[in-house]
Amino acid sequence: MTGIMEKILADRSSEQPTLEILAGVPKGYDAKILAELALQARMPVLHIARDDQHLEILRQTLPFFAPELTIMHFPAWDCLPYDRVSPKSHILATRMKCLAGLAKLAGNGADAPLMVLTTINAALQRVPTRSMTKAAHLYARCGQQLDPDDLIKFLSENGYHRAGQVMEPGDYAVRGGLIDLFPPSEENPIRFDFFGDRLESLRHFDALSQRSTENIKELELTAAGEFQLNPETIARFREGYHTHFGTVLDDDPLYHAVSEGRLHHGAEHWLPLFHHKLETLFDYLPRAILTLDHQADAAAEARLNSIADYYDARCEALEKPSAFSHPYKPLPPLLLTMDKTEWQDRLKSASPLRLSPFEEPESATSVSFHAKRGRDFAPERREKGSNLYDLLKSHVSELVKDGRPVILASYSRGSRDRLALVLADHGFGATEIVETFAQVASGGPEALALAVLPVEHGYECPEFTLITESDLLGDRLVRKSRRTRRAENFLTESTSLAMGDLVVHVDHGVGRFEGLQTLDVGGASHDCLKLTYAGGDRLYLPVENIEMLTRYGTDAGDAALDRLGGVNWQKRH
């Protein structure tokens, strides 16, 4: 691999790179190639995966091959184009944390090897500028002078929600000299303890018990959202809203919420109106080596077509007002994402390297790593009486004759430990549990290395062979856990509810019943239960789905309502 990597890096350093294809890179082996590229390059590597699944596999696999590699993760919004809901708070926090880190590079490269992972959906989308990202940043250290009012102002302007008690990511609460804050990028909330303008301490605490757990010395805060709510941005939004949509009527909750300086659920879909301009992820990494996942071009075309379809659907719906919801006024797609021409221009200027699992002849435009899909024991699994572990033992013996180590990858530590016991029972003389590829290389080819890697299928490459648990035993069966409830706990008749009753939705938590309402949806009338949640959010539940509700277990009318779309209910339940 050393000679191939030297060729790639020499090509990248030239004024007119010619390499386009990295061939012979099956799925799973791409992590090894990207890790080597990032470690040897003197500039960041930006890899664009075709979807979230491939990104997540890479994110979990890269540390095995290069634990010293700095990995930054830039996910796409987890909502549909032109949706009414906002991306989840931890998604926004992860994006802003990544952008803040990249903004520090200032186009001068990274001090340490750096890999930035993203997806087609995220790379196509426009993002806040580097100047805005740098400004939306606050550093807190114990003992420093920090005006609590300045902290509160930062939080209110950068996407945090003020609450009576901190329960969910993005919440903050003010209680005298204490400010409780749940940064979306943290596992637990943090308590700021002030003495005047001096920050005395920072402590993690449990959101449910409110008990402190551990002290920390410093904290770096980034914005919890991709726009700010201050007089300047509010005025810019109002002006842009009038420019695009004309006169605003009294029933436009988005416009009125922003005008009053309140966060509105789903306001991110009007992101351009809060900014003078937007940039792209490419602007944050002007000197990065760009690599593209196999079939990334097809994924980009499908995404752009999907965005256009959603936009057309919103425009059509705008011409046919519905009683179900207020009119949705969509911004043109080009304001939110790149179009096909701009995308192609960006790729052309970056001269990307496209990964391919197929072999191609060596040329000025392509190099091959000569890896291929490994053996699948599926035929043997269908044969009665065949012993898979004896077959595996024989197969491994043949492989190690070539002097290449063999890795058996499991999906979890538990399955890896079980395999180790089974292999010992079947006479595998030498097995070694490994956490990194360096341990594999130093262990010698005679030992079968047992690792935890989320790779579906194995492969063979010049340096080693990887066999996966599913290659040997078949596809693993993944079942999402389902909450089970006794039938008698469900409500069965809407007449058993009174106005103002508290109810619990199986997915959304505690809400308040506000009566029945008939809605016209798609030209048909539907009787729905109107439920309200924290912040005034509303949910209309068709009466035929009433079994999804249970009564709240107390008559207390002041019980805290859950936030629709929040994570607090899932954490408690």
Side-chain angles (χ1 to χ4, degrees):
M1 180 187 291
T2 302
I4 302 175
M5 201 60 63
E6 289 176 352
K7 182 178 179 180
I8 294 172
L9 295 175
D11 178 79
R12 294 296 97 179
S13 62
S14 65
E15 293 184 1
Q16 294 182 334
T18 60
L19 279 179
E20 299 176 1
I21 305 295
L22 304 184
V25 184
K27 185 179 176 182
Y29 188 50
D30 50 0
K32 171 64 172 174
I33 301 303
L34 292 172
E36 289 293 332
L37 182 61
L39 289 176
Q40 297 186 34
R42 296 182 178 179
M43 60 188 72
V45 175
L46 171 61
H47 179 71
I48 303 179
R50 63 179 181 265
D51 54 36
D52 293 327
Q53 179 187 14
H54 287 79
L55 182 147
E56 187 59 28
I57 291 174
L58 274 173
R59 193 164 73 93
Q60 295 181 37
T61 308
L62 279 167
F64 175 79
F65 291 106
E68 69 273 35
L69 180 63
T70 300
I71 302 171
M72 300 181 73
H73 170 215
F74 187 74
W77 288 354
D78 62 331
C79 52
L80 296 173
Y82 297 103
D83 211 336
R84 289 186 182 273
V85 299
S86 296
K88 288 186 175 63
S89 59
H90 74 273
I91 294 290
L92 291 173
T94 302
R95 288 167 59 89
M96 292 306 296
K97 182 178 180 180
C98 180
L99 292 180
L102 295 179
K104 292 181 181 179
L105 299 179
N108 296 322
D111 295 332
L114 173 64
M115 170 67 68
V116 181
L117 298 175
T118 190
T119 63
I120 285 292
N121 291 1
L124 285 169
Q125 190 176 347
R126 303 194 190 280
V127 298
T129 63
R130 286 157 288 178
S131 58
M132 179 270 178
T133 303
K134 291 178 180 178
H137 174 272
L138 188 144
Y139 184 77
R141 174 182 291 175
C142 293
Q144 79 175 95
Q145 294 298 119
L146 177 63
D147 191 334
D149 291 337
D150 290 340
L151 175 59
I152 294 171
K153 180 181 179 182
F154 173 85
L155 298 175
S156 63
E157 290 184 353
N158 286 281
Y160 292 85
H161 307 268
R162 185 161 184 167
Q165 180 175 315
V166 169
M167 296 295 293
E168 296 184 347
D171 285 348
Y172 76 95
V174 181
R175 298 183 293 124
L178 298 177
I179 296 179
D180 291 345
L181 168 64
F182 201 152
S185 57
E186 297 288 324
E187 290 292 330
N188 292 296
I190 294 173
R191 180 160 292 150
F192 290 68
D193 189 354
F194 288 92
F195 183 77
D197 289 348
R198 179 183 173 85
L199 180 58
E200 290 288 304
S201 67
L202 290 166
R203 303 191 300 273
H204 278 293
F205 67 93
D206 182 79
L208 295 180
S209 68
Q210 297 290 300
R211 293 181 178 177
S212 298
T213 55
E214 62 175 332
N215 293 330
I216 59 175
K217 294 182 178 180
E218 56 189 14
L219 177 68
E220 188 174 15
L221 287 176
T222 58
E226 298 183 23
F227 62 86
Q228 296 177 313
L229 272 180
N230 54 44
E232 181 183 353
T233 58
I234 291 172
R236 188 181 302 130
F237 173 89
R238 288 166 57 92
E239 181 181 355
Y241 205 82
H242 283 290
T243 300
H244 284 279
F245 308 121
T247 303
V248 178
L249 303 178
D250 292 337
D251 62 346
D252 194 322
L254 169 66
Y255 181 84
H256 292 297
V258 175
S259 297
E260 295 169 5
R262 293 185 289 110
L263 287 173
H264 187 274
H265 210 46
E268 287 78 6
H269 299 278
W270 288 266
L271 184 68
L273 301 186
F274 293 94
H275 297 270
H276 280 305
K277 68 173 184 176
L278 294 175
E279 295 182 336
T280 68
L281 193 58
F282 296 101
D283 296 310
Y284 279 78
L285 289 161
R287 296 182 59 249
I289 295 176
L290 176 63
T291 58
L292 295 179
D293 206 356
H294 179 54
Q295 298 180 337
D297 294 301
E301 183 175 359
R303 177 64 173 180
L304 292 173
N305 291 337
S306 176
I307 291 172
D309 290 341
Y310 278 107
Y311 175 70
D312 292 341
R314 284 299 188 189
C315 290
E316 291 177 8
L318 193 58
E319 299 175 359
K320 301 175 183 178
S322 170
F324 181 72
S325 60
H326 62 270
Y328 188 107
K329 301 173 182 178
L331 290 172
L334 190 57
L335 296 180
L336 294 158
T337 58
M338 290 182 272
D339 61 7
K340 185 175 182 179
T341 300
E342 185 178 358
W343 171 250
Q344 293 296 337
D345 289 343
R346 288 283 189 174
L347 294 186
K348 184 178 180 180
S349 63
S351 300
L353 296 168
R354 290 175 166 84
L355 301 179
S356 172
F358 307 112
E359 280 289 350
E360 290 198 15
E362 297 276 351
S363 67
T365 60
S366 67
V367 295
S368 178
F369 288 89
H370 305 294
K372 61 181 181 179
R373 173 85 173 262
R375 177 178 175 179
D376 192 334
F377 291 82
E380 290 83 356
R381 287 197 301 270
R382 291 192 289 266
E383 294 179 4
K384 293 184 178 180
S386 63
N387 189 312
L388 291 175
Y389 296 100
D390 288 343
L391 291 170
L392 174 65
K393 182 179 180 180
S394 176
H395 181 56
V396 171
S397 297
E398 291 295 325
L399 291 171
V400 298
K401 288 180 181 179
D402 297 332
R404 292 178 298 176
V406 181
I407 304 170
L408 180 59
S410 301
Y411 285 110
S412 67
R413 293 180 180 272
S415 60
R416 180 190 63 183
D417 295 342
R418 287 192 296 272
L419 272 176
L421 294 174
V422 173
L423 293 176
D425 291 340
H426 283 79
F428 276 80
T431 60
E432 179 184 7
I433 291 179
V434 298
E435 303 295 338
T436 66
F437 183 73
Q439 294 174 279
V440 177
S442 63
E446 67 280 356
L448 176 63
L450 305 181
V452 177
L453 291 171
V455 182
E456 186 176 0
H457 295 294
Y459 52 84
E460 297 180 15
C461 64
E463 305 136 287
F464 63 94
T465 298
L466 185 136
I467 303 170
T468 69
E469 181 181 345
S470 60
D471 289 334
L472 179 65
L473 303 176
D475 295 336
R476 62 173 178 164
L477 183 62
V478 179
R479 288 194 181 105
K480 293 184 178 180
S481 60
R482 293 179 176 269
R483 301 189 185 104
T484 58
R485 293 173 176 265
R486 298 177 61 186
E488 60 265 29
N489 289 337
F490 286 102
L491 294 175
T492 56
E493 295 184 10
S494 59
T495 54
S496 65
L497 288 173
M499 288 284 291
D501 280 354
L502 294 178
V503 294
V504 181
H505 190 285
V506 66
D507 292 324
H508 303 299
V510 180
R512 192 179 301 279
F513 175 63
E514 299 289 354
L516 291 171
Q517 188 167 338
T518 301
L519 302 176
D520 184 10
V521 182
S525 297
H526 291 265
D527 291 328
C528 298
L529 289 81
K530 180 181 177 182
L531 309 177
T532 58
Y533 286 83
D537 292 339
R538 293 171 293 177
L539 174 68
Y540 292 93
L541 180 72
V543 292
E544 56 266 28
N545 295 332
I546 195 173
E547 72 277 1
M548 299 184 74
L549 299 180
T550 60
R551 286 189 180 279
Y552 190 68
T554 178
D555 295 331
D558 59 348
L561 302 182
D562 285 303
R563 180 175 294 137
L564 193 61
V567 299
N568 186 41
W569 168 246
Q570 284 77 11
K571 285 188 174 182
R572 300 202 318 266
H573 191 55

